[in-house]
Amino acid sequence: MDVKAAQRLQLSAVVQPERFGRRPPFSTCRLGVSREPQSLRVFVSPMMMRRRTTALEVSSSYDNISASILESGSVHAPLDEELILKNRSQETQPYLNGRCIYLVGMMGSGKTTVGKIMSQVLGYSFCDSDALVEEEVGGNSVADIFEQHGETFFRNKETEVLHKLSLLHRLVISTGGGAVMRPVNWKYMHKGVSVWLDVPVEALAQRIAAVGTNSRPLLNYEAGDPYTRAFMRLSAIFEERGEAYANANARVSLKKIAIKLSKRDVSELSPTDIAIEALEQIDNFLKGEGGGYAEC
């Protein structure tokens, strides 16, 4: 473990969700740092999300789920999807062997929603790296951190969080959209398995325009209607980051899932459809360990 001898890592008991059935409330994590003479303890502990969540008993597509739920809500899938998800997770778990899963992708790609579904079915805890940065900066929102301290400050904190998480196990981690731009972050994420949720920019713009851009500090500089603002800025951001996302161990292309499932477009996919595909691509990567890049 590449930490100083004076530093000790402590992992508190993690609440393990029940094996299956109706999904229990997911457990999520927080990072705490307590300083004692000649020691530093870093821990992750389960806690219920403080953000308001909305349970949706049956959802057949993203069109039927509000954009806010995609970001922070819990989604209950139909029974047949639950069974497929369960079977897929049971096939993948032996190969994962407790390794963390890092979800990467553009803002609005559904990393939080898909991550919660995956954590529940795998018996992992869920972490949102943005939320952990917010916690370490006194509870300020990402938008406030950008405004008060600047993007560089935020990115430094983000790297610190990913470093701490890389020392742990059995977590599904939703990363910030820009985390992929620092090579050192990939060093930490590749200690687990990284998965790129690849969503068309048009779909991202529609989702974000539906809830506004106030919480998205990188989207507040374009003129025009909400969709145009979001689309123009997201297109520019993807141009900058696209190659970096391709460093992930597995890619989950929503366009290809839609074709495979005979959907008209990605808006008809449910978060569970995407979670199932993510687990399949993780399984493919791990079975061919070192064989590089799995792709839907």
Side-chain angles (χ1 to χ4, degrees), residues 140-160:
N140 291 334
S141 69
V142 172
D144 287 341
I145 295 171
F146 267 66
E147 182 178 351
Q148 295 171 16
H149 303 283
E151 183 175 359
T152 298
F153 175 89
F154 173 82
R155 297 300 175 196
N156 290 339
K157 289 293 182 182
E158 181 176 60
T159 296
E160 291 175 13

Side-chain angles (χ1 to χ4, degrees), residues 118-295:
M118 293 173 67
S119 68
Q120 289 165 353
V121 75
L122 290 170
Y124 276 30
S125 289
F126 174 78
C127 288
D128 182 322
S129 66
D130 281 354
L132 294 176
V133 171
E134 291 174 342
E135 191 171 287
E136 291 209 347
V137 189
N140 291 334
S141 69
V142 172
D144 287 341
I145 295 171
F146 267 66
E147 182 178 351
Q148 295 171 16
H149 303 283
E151 183 175 359
T152 298
F153 175 89
F154 173 82
R155 297 300 175 196
N156 290 339
K157 289 293 182 182
E158 181 176 60
T159 296
E160 291 175 13
V161 164
L162 291 173
H163 180 203
K164 293 171 186 176
L165 292 174
S166 74
L167 304 174
L168 306 171
H169 297 86
R170 301 185 65 80
L171 301 174
V172 176
I173 300 155
S174 170
T175 67
V180 298
M181 298 303 288
R182 286 191 172 187
V184 67
N185 292 344
W186 282 111
K187 172 187 172 183
Y188 301 140
M189 291 191 287
H190 278 156
K191 292 185 179 181
V193 181
S194 53
V195 181
W196 173 22
L197 300 187
D198 183 10
V199 184
V201 172
E202 296 87 350
L204 295 175
Q206 289 171 356
R207 295 178 193 174
I208 291 173
V211 296
T213 61
N214 289 339
S215 64
R216 310 285 187 176
L218 294 180
L219 297 183
N220 291 329
Y221 305 104
E222 299 289 339
D225 62 90
Y227 173 81
T228 300
R229 287 203 308 270
F231 179 79
M232 295 298 291
R233 185 62 181 136
L234 287 168
S235 296
I237 291 173
F238 183 76
E239 186 70 23
E240 297 170 0
R241 298 176 180 173
E243 291 185 5
Y245 289 131
N247 286 317
N249 300 128
R251 175 190 176 203
V252 176
S253 166
L254 269 65
K255 281 186 176 180
K256 293 186 177 181
I257 301 173
I259 293 171
K260 183 165 71 172
L261 298 181
S262 300
K263 305 292 187 181
R264 289 177 302 174
D265 56 48
V266 301
S267 68
E268 293 189 352
L269 296 174
S270 72
T272 303
D273 288 332
I274 300 165
I276 291 168
E277 190 63 44
L279 289 172
E280 181 173 342
Q281 297 311 319
I282 291 170
D283 190 58
N284 291 343
F285 167 73
L286 293 174
K287 285 179 178 177
E289 190 83 57
Y293 190 84
E295 181 175 355

Side-chain angles (χ1 to χ4, degrees), residues 5-154:
Q7 295 179 334
R8 297 174 184 171
L9 178 71
Q10 176 180 329
L11 175 62
S12 66
V14 175
V15 175
Q16 299 296 333
E18 298 171 5
R19 275 294 170 194
F20 210 72
R22 176 175 290 277
R23 295 199 193 106
F26 62 88
S27 58
T28 187
C29 67
R30 64 184 178 86
L31 290 177
V33 179
S34 60
R35 297 188 179 276
E36 297 176 352
Q38 299 182 335
S39 73
L40 172 67
R41 292 185 299 155
V42 181
F43 61 90
V44 172
S45 61
M47 58 183 283
M48 295 308 297
M49 285 294 284
R50 287 171 291 183
R51 297 177 181 174
R52 182 178 301 168
T53 61
T54 303
L56 192 65
E57 293 299 329
V58 177
S59 67
S60 61
S61 74
Y62 272 129
D63 279 346
N64 296 327
I65 307 173
S66 73
S68 60
I69 295 175
L70 277 172
E71 288 300 308
S72 62
S74 59
V75 178
H76 296 158
L79 182 59
D80 57 342
E81 286 188 347
E82 292 276 11
L83 293 175
I84 295 170
L85 185 67
K86 177 184 178 182
N87 291 336
R88 174 53 62 190
S89 69
Q90 289 176 339
E91 293 175 8
T92 304
Q93 277 179 318
Y95 296 94
L96 264 176
N97 196 29
R99 276 182 277 190
C100 292
I101 297 170
Y102 294 84
L103 299 180
V104 303
M106 293 281 285
M107 62 184 80
S109 60
K111 299 185 294 288
T112 296
T113 300
V114 173
K116 289 174 184 177
I117 292 172
M118 293 173 67
S119 68
Q120 289 165 353
V121 75
L122 290 170
Y124 276 30
S125 289
F126 174 78
C127 288
D128 182 322
S129 66
D130 281 354
L132 294 176
V133 171
E134 291 174 342
E135 191 171 287
E136 291 209 347
V137 189
N140 291 334
S141 69
V142 172
D144 287 341
I145 295 171
F146 267 66
E147 182 178 351
Q148 295 171 16
H149 303 283
E151 183 175 359
T152 298
F153 175 89
F154 173 82

